Amino acid sequence: MQSIITEKLQNAFLPIHLHVLNESHLHHRPGNNSHFNVVIVSEQFDGLRLLARHRAVNATLAEELAGELHALAIHTYTPAEWAEVENNNFNSPSCVGLGD
């Protein structure tokens, strides 16, 4: 799943930076491919509001989201925005709703 997400986002947005992280293990789903965190930096986001960027990413991954992809944390940036936030931590918090 991680390679599919990476390939689709790479082809759709031609990003200058793309990071796709499988965080399923943080959600009591080890070995699963259901929770991902994406950081994508693309010139295609210039002039788009956050909602439009997220809709574009969701549309690109519509098939996966209709299947086993359960959750997708999306961080979208223009190159100028990325220059300002490049060292931020984009890790998702552990899921607390499933119990231990």
Side-chain angles (χ1 to χ4, degrees):
M1 178 67 72
Q2 186 168 357
S3 61
I4 292 169
I5 293 170
T6 300
E7 182 179 342
K8 285 190 170 189
L9 294 176
Q10 185 70 42
N11 291 337
F13 298 102
L14 304 172
I16 62 167
H17 177 81
L18 175 62
H19 183 73
V20 178
L21 180 63
N22 186 340
E23 295 184 332
S24 300
H25 66 281
L26 298 174
H27 302 275
H28 302 282
R29 299 173 188 269
N32 198 322
N33 287 304
S34 60
H35 290 68
F36 285 85
N37 188 325
V38 170
V39 178
I40 183 169
V41 182
S42 174
E43 292 179 0
Q44 293 183 28
F45 296 139
D46 282 332
L48 294 180
R49 292 185 176 202
L50 185 61
L51 184 59
R53 296 174 188 188
H54 284 217
R55 284 181 175 160
V57 170
N58 285 333
T60 301
L61 301 175
E63 184 178 337
E64 290 71 26
L65 286 164
E68 80 175 281
L69 181 55
H70 173 73
L72 184 64
I74 304 170
H75 309 277
T76 56
Y77 299 95
T78 65
E81 292 167 342
W82 181 244
E84 294 180 19
V85 299
E86 191 168 353
N87 294 317
N88 281 344
N89 178 2
F90 298 101
N91 293 331
S92 297
S94 295
C95 184
V96 296
L98 295 176
D100 289 319

